[in-house]
Amino acid sequence: MSKDEDRLERAFRMWINSIGLKGVYIQNLFRDCRNGIVLLKTLDKVVPGSVGWVRVERRPTNKFKKISNCNLLIELGKSAPFNFSLVNIDGRNIEEGHKKLTLALVWQMMRHHVCLFLQMIINKKVGGKQSSQDTQKMKRMLSNGGDSVIVEWANSTIEKALKKRNRLPEINGINLRHVSKIRTFKDLHLRKSFYFLMLLWAVDQQVIDWDLVTVGDNEEQCKLNARYSISVSRKLGATVFLLPEDITEVNAKMIMTFISAILALGG
């Protein structure tokens, strides 16, 4: 298993173990999900009622029954409300523990869960009031897994904080305004963690000790900043699954989940 696959397996396994599936605790994503039961339970947790359990082999004692469950999993994943992209993935791949294809499926499940959670945050903010066209647009795009909504939301959160506080944090003369926006989760300046720290500062002005933040001139300094941003987010109560290396290597998938977790704090 490659280094990237190993980290993704860890993150996705931690996510499944964190969402409160009764009687489920997995120690290896590929081995423990091969009979389809765990991933069907995960799907049903993400969208309650999405799995018709009368079709599920509850005691898959042989390969045929395990593949049957995994085929159902793929069928449901391709259908509404999920509409996952599962090209060239079938139940046999999951039953055989195919690493790349299992990761591709579980990532889309996790992503869907994150977007649904952010939709819930939007609904909470709107409350009983009539939501605006922009809010409705955001909710529609989130339902389709739209990264652009999360990027725009994070950028505007920082921008509003800067306008409201009329004060820019300082790190050894670095102009943080230059890194106060991103275009995608692949922006290279994310490796220095300034953006995450500013987003956390936007959520809570007092939470960052800027004297502890390095200029990010080398790998070790970038890793120190990454560790600090993760530590602060957890201190505020965020559920975080990524590692510092996911930040310094700009792992777009895990960065999307990190930014979403910070945005949820401001909900």
Side-chain angles (χ1 to χ4, degrees):
M1 184 161 50
S2 71
K3 181 174 64 174
D4 287 344
E5 287 176 338
D6 183 58
R7 289 212 300 265
L8 286 174
E9 186 276 335
R10 171 191 175 275
F12 297 168
R13 170 169 41 86
M14 288 175 64
W15 168 65
I16 289 173
N17 287 336
S18 75
I19 61 176
L21 296 178
K22 187 176 180 180
V24 171
Y25 185 86
I26 60 172
Q27 296 181 324
N28 182 286
L29 182 72
F30 310 117
R31 184 187 64 235
D32 297 344
C33 294
R34 289 176 60 178
N35 67 11
I37 296 290
V38 169
L39 295 183
L40 285 166
K41 285 184 176 181
T42 303
L43 210 59
D44 205 41
K45 182 73 173 185
V46 171
V47 178
S50 59
V51 176
W53 287 97
V54 294
R55 300 179 60 191
V56 178
E57 296 286 352
R58 302 277 190 140
R59 298 180 182 277
T61 53
N62 57 51
K63 187 179 183 74
F64 176 79
K65 291 182 178 180
K66 293 175 184 178
I67 292 175
S68 175
N69 283 345
C70 294
N71 281 335
L72 175 60
L73 175 69
I74 300 300
E75 176 190 330
L76 294 173
K78 288 180 177 179
S79 307
F82 302 106
N83 300 313
F84 297 155
S85 175
L86 299 173
V87 180
N88 296 326
I89 303 179
D90 61 29
R92 189 177 297 274
N93 301 135
I94 307 303
E95 193 279 328
E96 292 175 350
H98 191 291
K99 293 179 175 59
K100 183 177 180 180
L101 299 181
T102 300
L103 290 173
L105 169 62
V106 179
W107 160 241
Q108 292 182 77
M109 295 168 71
M110 183 179 184
R111 178 194 180 95
H112 195 83
H113 188 235
V114 168
C115 289
L116 286 177
F117 184 71
L118 292 179
Q119 284 187 64
M120 186 179 71
I121 297 295
I122 294 173
N123 289 337
K124 181 180 175 182
K125 285 186 175 183
V126 172
K129 298 178 291 185
Q130 181 69 32
S131 57
S132 67
Q133 288 186 349
D134 286 345
T135 300
Q136 292 293 341
K137 181 181 177 182
M138 284 179 67
K139 288 163 71 175
R140 284 196 302 271
M141 291 181 71
L142 278 172
S143 68
N144 293 323
D147 287 357
S148 60
V149 172
I150 301 171
V151 168
E152 182 181 341
W153 187 351
N155 286 343
S156 66
T157 298
I158 295 174
E159 184 179 355
K160 288 175 184 176
L162 289 171
K163 288 180 180 178
K164 182 178 180 180
R165 295 165 188 171
N166 197 28
R167 175 182 171 274
L168 195 66
E170 295 181 3
I171 307 174
N172 297 323
I174 293 175
N175 187 349
L176 289 178
R177 197 172 292 277
H178 292 161
V179 290
S180 64
K181 290 187 177 182
I182 57 172
R183 291 173 298 172
T184 73
F185 300 125
K186 297 179 180 179
D187 284 18
L188 290 180
H189 71 79
L190 287 170
R191 66 188 300 271
K192 297 188 177 185
S193 292
F194 297 150
Y195 184 82
F196 309 122
L197 293 165
M198 290 192 70
L199 188 56
L200 288 160
W201 170 81
V203 172
D204 185 334
Q205 187 176 0
Q206 305 301 322
V207 76
I208 302 295
D209 182 347
W210 293 101
D211 291 335
L212 297 179
V213 181
T214 76
V215 295
D217 277 346
N218 56 51
E219 185 70 21
E220 185 55 35
Q221 289 186 354
C222 287
K223 196 168 288 187
L224 286 171
N225 286 351
R227 289 195 188 105
Y228 185 50
S229 64
I230 292 171
S231 174
V232 170
S233 67
R234 286 178 172 151
K235 178 181 177 182
L236 289 176
T239 302
V240 178
F241 302 109
L242 86 172
L243 295 170
E245 290 80 5
D246 292 316
I247 293 176
T248 59
E249 296 174 15
V250 194
N251 182 325
K253 288 184 174 68
M254 299 315 300
I255 284 174
M256 178 267 197
T257 68
F258 188 38
I259 289 176
S260 298
I262 298 173
L263 288 174
L265 294 172

